[in-house]
Amino acid sequence: MEQQFSLAYLSVINTPPPEMTYMAARAGYDFVSLRPINMGLPNEPDFSLASNKTLLRDTKRALRETGLEVLDIELARVADGIDPMTYEPEFEIAAELGVRHVLSSIWSDDRSYSIEQFAKICDLAKQYNLTVELEYVPIASISNLADTLDILDAAQKDNAGLMIDIHHFHRAQDTIADLSKVPKELFRFVHLCDAPGEIPTDHDELVRIIREGRSYVGEGGIDVAGVINSIPTVPYSIELPNKEQADLLGYEEFARRCLVKAKEYFKKNPRSNQEINMR
């Protein structure tokens, strides 16, 4: 499979879907990754495509004019007090737009509840031919590879998969050896970025890097090539929030540079020639 890249929402946070789509196309991306599911964060804009018909119309036009596809939408969280059925309107629109995947993560400490709710999200998504990719996050309840695989194994949903964010993988201190043992059919896309090799011990600094301090691929301290070579060739969604660089360059030039740096890194560090067989 030829390398394909998507522009992830956090890289150009607060950019409306139509503008983000045009930006991604001009920068040379193959896909765009949108966030129509509002997370209720302070000052977060609401980019719901299901409730804003003008925004949906303009997004459809942008996709049609650019020829880009939406790789995934986010974020269908499992959290206490959130009914998975509230995601259905956005899932329905996602299917209408030809979206492939839904990103999910778990923010509840109740394992049984989390498994039950994640399974409901998968069942709902399946009605719209969507897969659900479970991502672990250092500041969430499910924060490492082993616990994520435990949820996937317990839920037993054939449209559920594993989404590795290279920053989160490193911060969790997961190993390439463990990643290499994961069934290859679980992978459908990856969040691509880099970050300083030293793992912060201060929580606020950890959060800052997650949200606004990641590095261009190849300019941090993470073994990006090791991660990439341990999984099949899948689309790479560049989630690389860096406020300093975005403020300096503007979002569009920053997005373009993220892609250029990623492609330069892959050229210098080609994937292993050894065929990764599907298990």
Side-chain angles (χ1 to χ4, degrees):
M1 180 189 296
E2 184 179 333
Q3 289 169 1
Q4 295 179 306
F5 298 90
S6 184
L7 177 61
Y9 174 76
L10 276 186
S11 297
V12 291
I13 191 169
N14 298 338
T15 302
E19 182 181 344
M20 189 175 162
T21 301
Y22 287 120
M23 186 184 299
R26 289 192 295 263
Y29 287 83
D30 305 286
F31 302 102
V32 65
S33 297
L34 304 176
R35 182 187 283 180
I37 300 174
N38 190 273
M39 294 178 61
L41 300 174
N43 303 314
E44 179 188 13
D46 186 355
F47 292 142
S48 167
L49 297 175
S51 61
N52 188 329
K53 300 307 178 184
T54 300
L55 189 63
L56 175 59
R57 180 200 64 204
D58 293 345
T59 301
K60 286 181 175 180
R61 179 187 297 121
L63 293 169
R64 183 172 62 251
E65 291 179 353
T66 61
L68 259 60
E69 298 178 20
V70 182
L71 180 66
D72 66 285
I73 63 166
E74 59 177 68
L75 178 64
R77 293 175 298 158
V78 172
D80 298 329
I82 294 182
D83 181 358
M85 291 304 297
T86 61
Y87 300 136
E88 185 167 17
E90 299 301 340
F91 286 8
E92 184 176 2
I93 295 299
E96 186 178 331
L97 295 178
V99 178
R100 305 180 182 193
H101 316 297
V102 175
L103 190 62
S104 182
S105 56
I106 294 178
W107 301 76
S108 170
D109 294 331
D110 185 329
R111 178 178 179 274
S112 296
Y113 171 84
S114 296
I115 294 166
E116 178 185 12
Q117 298 300 93
F118 179 71
K120 288 180 180 179
I121 292 172
C122 292
D123 288 341
L124 180 63
K126 191 169 185 177
Q127 296 178 36
Y128 297 98
N129 295 315
L130 297 164
T131 70
V132 181
E133 314 308 319
L134 185 56
E135 174 186 22
Y136 59 91
V137 183
I139 57 175
S141 299
I142 297 300
S143 58
N144 60 48
L145 179 62
D147 289 347
T148 307
L149 293 174
D150 173 62
I151 296 292
L152 291 172
D153 183 62
Q156 287 292 301
K157 296 299 177 179
D158 60 9
N159 65 327
L162 169 67
M163 210 295 299
I164 292 290
D165 181 300
I166 289 178
H167 168 276
H168 303 344
F169 176 87
H170 180 74
R171 294 303 188 251
Q173 300 184 62
D174 286 321
T175 68
I176 299 297
D178 287 338
L179 185 61
S180 299
K181 298 174 185 176
V182 177
K184 304 309 175 188
E185 61 269 19
L186 289 181
F187 297 99
R188 299 189 182 98
F189 71 99
V190 170
H191 272 171
L192 184 66
C193 66
D194 208 334
E198 184 177 352
I199 300 175
T201 55
D202 179 73
H203 178 77
D204 290 343
E205 177 63 7
L206 176 65
V207 173
R208 186 193 71 80
I209 293 175
I210 289 173
R211 293 180 175 170
E212 59 180 52
R214 303 195 209 181
S215 308
Y216 292 120
V217 177
E219 295 189 4
I222 299 177
D223 179 14
V224 176
V227 176
I228 294 302
N229 275 317
S230 299
I231 61 179
T233 300
V234 293
Y236 305 112
S237 183
I238 299 182
E239 185 178 87
L240 204 161
N242 185 306
K243 187 176 186 303
E244 181 180 353
Q245 283 292 295
D247 288 348
L248 176 67
L249 300 171
Y251 270 157
E252 185 163 334
E253 175 58 23
F254 173 62
R256 188 194 68 81
R257 191 165 298 187
C258 285
L259 181 58
V260 168
K261 294 284 188 179
K263 288 183 175 180
E264 288 176 349
Y265 181 83
F266 277 95
K267 188 173 181 180
K268 293 176 182 176
N269 300 272
R271 284 181 58 90
S272 170
N273 290 326
Q274 181 178 358
E275 182 68 24
I276 301 178
N277 295 318
M278 300 290 284
R279 291 193 180 98

